[in-house]
Each structure stands twice: as C-alpha cells, then as structure tokens.
C-alpha cells in the first residue's frame, strides 16, 4: 500500500509546504539490508560515575565493527550514528544531571536514522528506593528523546540485570545489535529487559538462525509472509502454516523461501496434536514457535454477536495456549527454544469497535508474562511484539481519515511495514537472545496512543 502523503512530502514542493505549514514530516527510515554496517556513523559511548556496563558494551561494539568515540575527546562538531549511555551508576535523582550533561550538547549531533540507547538497572533490582526512583526516571528520558530528535532517530531504554552474565557479550550483544541496526527502524520508545538467561552467539551474525527450525502461523500473507522471508533469510528452516483456504498463497510463500507448507485450521479440536505429529516426524523438534495467526471481527460490544467474540478469542489467544501446551508437553521445544507471540497496541490501549480483538491481544501479553518465569528453568524464552499501524491489506481497507490518523500519530509520522514486525520477531527468535524473556516490544514507530 502506497503512502502518497509521504511520497509527496519528499518532493521539492512537498518539503516547502511541510516546513511552511508545520505538517507531519515522515523521515526516510534506515532499514536493514544484509551486509549493511551496524551503524551509519561512529558511536559516542558515555557513562555515569560508577556505571557497570560501559566496559562490556565498548568491547561488544568494537567487535561488531563500530567506531567508538569518548565524550572527553570527541570533536564537538562530529556527528554520530548512535549515542549510547551507561546510566547504571545513577543511584539517586541528583545523579540524573549526568544524563543532561551527556545528551544536551549532542541533541543535534545524531545522524538521520541514528540510534539512542540508555542502559539501566531494573528498578526492582535496585538496592535502595532512591536508586529505584532514579532508574525508573530513565524511561521518561528515553521516550521523550524518541519524540524530540526526529529524522528517523530511535531511542530505547535497556534494563540489564546485575545478576548472571547479562552484562557480558553473551547476554547483551544480540539486543544491542538489533537496536542499533536498521532492523529496529520502526521500534522506538521501548523498554527492553535483558535478564540472565543462556544465550548462544551465532557463527555468523548475518545468519543468526542457521540450523533453526521455525514455525510461523498465519504465514500466507501480510506480516506472516514477511516473517517467513526474514527468518529464512537469517538461516532458518521455516515451516509455514495457514488455513486450507489460503493454500495457494501459502504454497507460493513456502516455495519462494524453500520452506514447507502446512495447511491447518488451528481452531480444529485435533489441530495441536496434528501439528505436533508433523513437527516430530519431519523435524524432530521446533526451535522457534511464532504465533502470528490472527483475525478481526469488529463491532462495538453492544452490537457484537457471540460468534464474533468467540472466533477472535479462539484464533488469537486460545489456539496459542493449546499449541504451546502440546508442544511443551511432548518436549518438542528444546532448551534454547523460543516462543514469540504477536499482540497489538490494541491490547495495550484498547480500541473502539474491537473489544474482542483487544481482549485477545491483551491476553497474549498475559500469556507471555505468565509463561516466561515458568519456562525459564527449561531454557525457553517467551516474548511478544505489539504492532501499531502496519501497512497491510487490512489497514488499506480502513477509511481514509482514520487511516491517515493511524499513520501520522507516531514519532515517525508514517505506518510501519510488515518487515518491521518480522525483523523484531527475528531478533527475539535468535539463539543469541536467550537473555530476553517476558518482554512486550511495540513495533509502532512510538505510537502516541497507549503506553
């Protein structure tokens, strides 16, 4: 679907009109192409007094080929691909001044499509109430930066546990690589928690899913098809699943990526068992399960019949529970496995005319948050992504005024693409992302709606 407004804005006449009238100005986003460098310029790495992560992060970035600059010696006129700040040393509110001193003189020094990352300690792990207060304050800083810097610059807060190996390359590298790269073009204003789970760095960061068997439900079109392509590009053997009615489109996607197609209605009583039998006989396991299948049956609650309610809850939420139960019970998801579910910002903010859909997507968040601690001992991570306005055939059918509002009401002033959701799920699926679990990451260009 073409965003004609964004195309016009990038023309000479459009640029002049936007500037004169103060209209939304969608930037060109820096998206990932295989072989791209991690950043489009050097990174400035700073730290609060007593920070514990600047050393490990410097080693990670240097090994990834990033040019590092020290705030004490950097050229005042230089522009940066990223500003990275270790705020773990901030132990009370007065220490927050150190972030002002780092970011204030450099607010205009970030290149278009650049990245801002602040590293902190999870507030619930802090030793004192004052430290927890200061660390929680970082969330307001990063979300505001995401709305201020513009030009496709994203800003994230990464809470890194003080326990285990999360402060080393093993636990943190995958998250830094994702957030700094073009893969995270439509992810901004997020808080990601990196815990102490096991992580396996790949032999080749351009193919971080080599050797992995990945199941993608709802793979025939839209976000699901983009998922299949991205995961295959990253080295996965993809099992693409969709309903029999979408068989032709599903087969086309599977043939394109050299994967396999499974036609199955996930709401059928025997669907979980049939799927488990297929995975066991063909692959012996499934390393990553991506629950992408979903439907909408919109009506306001007072006008909604029971069938619309039941079908949406069944497809979007209950089927995920049933599949997880069977795959886990039969041991088909091994240690190091990943479960990634697709939620929605509707599950966070709600949406008029979508009580059934919002309920199901909020339930997906609950599923992830409840399963994560339960599966930690088995070495399996569980996360969710919550897309905002993504340019698909479904959003193309939204009335023009509502569609334009959805596109513009975010820090990027544009809709995302299916590939943006796919790249985020890809990161959560990597074996190297084992320290990330129980997270809900919005892919919404930092939507102005919701949390």
């Amino acid at each position: 679907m073409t965003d004609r407004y964004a195309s016009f804005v990038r023309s000479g006449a459009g640029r002049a009109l936007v500037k004169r009238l103060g209209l939304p100005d969608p930037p060109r986003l820096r998206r990932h192409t295989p072989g791209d460098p991690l950043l489009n310029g050097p990174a400035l790495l700073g730290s609060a007094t007593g920070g514990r992560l600047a050393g490990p992060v410097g080693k990670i970035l240097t090994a990834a080929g990033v040019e590092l600059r020290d705030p004490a010696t950097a050229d005042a006129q230089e522009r940066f691909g990223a500003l990275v700040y270790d705020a773990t040393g901030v132990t009370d509110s007065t220490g927050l001044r150190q972030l002002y001193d780092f970011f204030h003189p450099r607010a205009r020094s970030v290149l278009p499509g650049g990245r801002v990352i602040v590293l902190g300690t999870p507030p619930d792990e802090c030793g004192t109430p004052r430290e927890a207060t200061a660390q929680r304050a970082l969330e307001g800083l990063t979300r505001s930066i995401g709305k201020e810097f513009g030009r496709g610059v994203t800003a994230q807060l990464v809470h890194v546990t003080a326990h285990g190996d999360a402060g080393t390359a093993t636990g943190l590298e995958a998250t830094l690589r994702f957030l700094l790269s073009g893969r995270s073009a439509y992810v901004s204003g997020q808080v990601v928690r990196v815990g102490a789970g096991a992580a396996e760095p790949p032999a080749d960061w351009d193919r971080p899913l080599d050797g992995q068997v990945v199941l993608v439900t709802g793979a025939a079109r839209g976000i699901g098809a983009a998922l299949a392509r991205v995961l295959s590009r990253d080295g996965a053997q993809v099992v693409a699943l969709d309903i029999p009615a979408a068989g032709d489109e599903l087969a086309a996607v599977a043939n394109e990526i050299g994967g396999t197609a499974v036609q199955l209605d996930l709401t059928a009583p025997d669907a979980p068992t049939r799927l488990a039998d297929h995975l066991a006989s063909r692959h012996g396991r499934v390393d990553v399960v991506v629950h992408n299948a979903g439907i909408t049956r919109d009506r306001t609650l007072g006008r909604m019949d029971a069938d619309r309610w039941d079908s949406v809850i069944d497809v979007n939420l209950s089927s995920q529970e049933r599949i997880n139960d069977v795959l886990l019970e039969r041991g088909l998801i091994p240690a190091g496995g990943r479960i990634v579910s697709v939620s929605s910002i509707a599950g966070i903010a709600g949406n008029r005319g979508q009580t059934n859909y919002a309920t199901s997507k909020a339930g997906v968040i609950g599923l992830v948050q409840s399963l994560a601690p339960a599966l930690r001992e088995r070495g399996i991570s569980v996360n969710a992504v919550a897309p905002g306005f993504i340019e698909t055939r479904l959003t193309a059918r939204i009335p023009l005024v509502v569609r334009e509002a959805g596109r513009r009401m975010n820090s990027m002033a544009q809709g995302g693409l299916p590939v943006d959701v796919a790249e985020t799920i890809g990161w959560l699926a990597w074996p190297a992302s084992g320290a990330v679990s129980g997270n809900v990451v919005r892919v919404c260009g930092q939507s102005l709606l919701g949390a």
Side-chain angles (χ1 to χ4, degrees):
M1 181 169 56
T2 301
D3 185 342
R4 294 180 179 177
Y5 174 81
S7 299
F8 170 72
V9 162
R10 289 163 187 156
S11 68
R15 297 297 307 162
L17 189 63
V18 163
K19 187 174 182 180
R20 184 163 63 249
L21 299 181
L23 298 173
D25 187 6
R28 292 186 184 275
L29 302 186
R30 177 173 66 92
R31 289 190 168 93
H32 174 72
T33 299
D36 282 351
L38 200 60
L39 287 172
N40 56 352
L44 188 70
L45 176 60
S47 178
T49 302
R52 59 185 168 85
L53 293 175
V57 168
K59 292 178 182 178
I60 290 170
L61 298 184
T62 299
V66 174
E67 294 182 53
L68 289 184
R69 300 288 188 269
D70 187 319
T73 59
D75 186 335
Q77 304 304 314
E78 187 168 18
R79 304 189 75 191
F80 303 102
L83 304 179
V84 181
Y85 192 80
D86 174 11
T88 57
V90 178
T91 57
D92 62 36
S93 58
T94 62
L96 294 168
R97 174 59 188 267
Q98 297 177 82
L99 285 103
Y100 171 86
D101 292 339
F102 178 78
F103 286 108
H104 168 69
R106 302 177 178 93
R108 295 176 177 83
S109 69
V110 185
L111 291 163
R115 303 289 185 255
V116 174
I117 295 179
V118 175
L119 301 157
T121 300
D124 60 3
E125 290 186 8
C126 291
T128 67
R130 285 179 178 267
E131 182 183 5
T133 298
Q135 290 296 315
R136 178 60 177 80
L138 301 176
E139 192 170 327
L141 171 84
T142 51
R143 286 185 166 158
S144 296
I145 286 174
K147 294 176 178 178
E148 287 185 1
F149 280 21
R151 298 169 297 117
V153 175
T154 66
Q156 328 287 351
L157 172 60
V158 180
H159 280 152
V160 184
T161 183
H163 308 307
D165 62 358
T168 70
T170 304
L172 186 55
E173 183 170 7
T175 296
L176 289 176
R177 280 181 173 269
F178 170 71
L179 293 177
L180 291 172
S181 74
R183 297 175 189 264
S184 61
Y186 203 62
V187 177
S188 189
Q190 298 306 288
V191 181
V192 175
R193 181 162 181 157
V194 178
E200 186 66 35
D204 181 356
W205 280 102
D206 285 331
R207 291 180 61 83
L209 287 168
D210 254 347
Q212 298 284 292
V213 177
V214 179
L215 169 68
V216 178
T217 69
R221 60 179 72 91
I223 291 171
L227 264 167
R229 295 183 183 105
V230 165
L231 299 174
S232 175
R233 178 204 70 194
D234 285 355
Q237 183 176 359
V238 177
V239 179
L241 182 150
D242 216 311
I243 58 175
D248 290 344
E249 291 173 294
L250 181 68
V253 171
N255 290 336
E256 176 189 340
I257 63 172
T260 57
V262 176
Q263 297 183 27
L264 184 64
D265 179 355
L266 293 178
T267 64
D270 63 345
T273 301
R274 289 172 58 193
L275 176 58
D277 289 344
H278 174 84
L279 293 169
S281 63
R282 293 288 295 272
H283 306 284
R285 71 186 196 284
V286 57
D287 299 294
V288 181
V289 176
V290 181
H291 293 293
N292 169 70
I295 61 172
T296 57
R297 297 290 185 269
D298 297 350
R299 285 286 170 85
T300 57
L301 186 57
R303 296 174 180 270
M304 184 182 298
D305 59 76
D307 286 344
R308 288 175 184 267
W309 177 275
D310 291 341
S311 61
V312 169
I313 299 296
D314 198 22
V315 174
N316 297 2
L317 179 59
S318 301
S319 69
Q320 294 190 22
E321 295 177 306
R322 293 191 295 265
I323 290 169
N324 288 344
D325 287 348
V326 172
L327 295 181
L328 291 168
E329 181 182 337
R330 293 180 56 170
L332 289 171
I333 305 176
R338 308 280 178 259
I339 299 173
V340 187
S341 293
V342 177
S343 181
S344 168
I345 62 168
I348 298 170
N351 203 11
R352 186 181 188 280
Q354 289 194 315
T355 51
N356 51 358
Y357 184 76
T359 299
S360 70
K361 293 303 186 178
V364 167
I365 294 172
L367 180 153
V368 164
Q369 293 176 338
S370 60
L371 269 184
L375 294 181
R376 187 170 294 124
E377 292 184 0
R378 297 175 62 169
I380 297 171
S381 73
V382 190
N383 295 283
V385 298
F389 187 96
I390 305 297
E391 303 278 2
T392 65
R393 287 191 290 186
L394 286 176
T395 53
R397 295 199 293 265
I398 296 174
L400 176 63
V401 173
V402 178
R403 185 167 69 241
E404 283 302 303
R407 282 172 168 159
R408 309 306 162 207
M409 292 183 67
N410 60 75
S411 295
M412 303 299 172
Q414 61 193 286
L417 301 179
V419 70
D420 297 320
V421 183
E423 296 282 17
T424 306
I425 290 173
W427 154 58
L428 294 170
W430 295 349
S433 295
V436 179
S437 191
N439 284 258
V440 180
V441 181
R442 287 183 295 139
V443 186
C444 62
Q446 197 176 14
S447 174
L448 304 184
L449 301 175

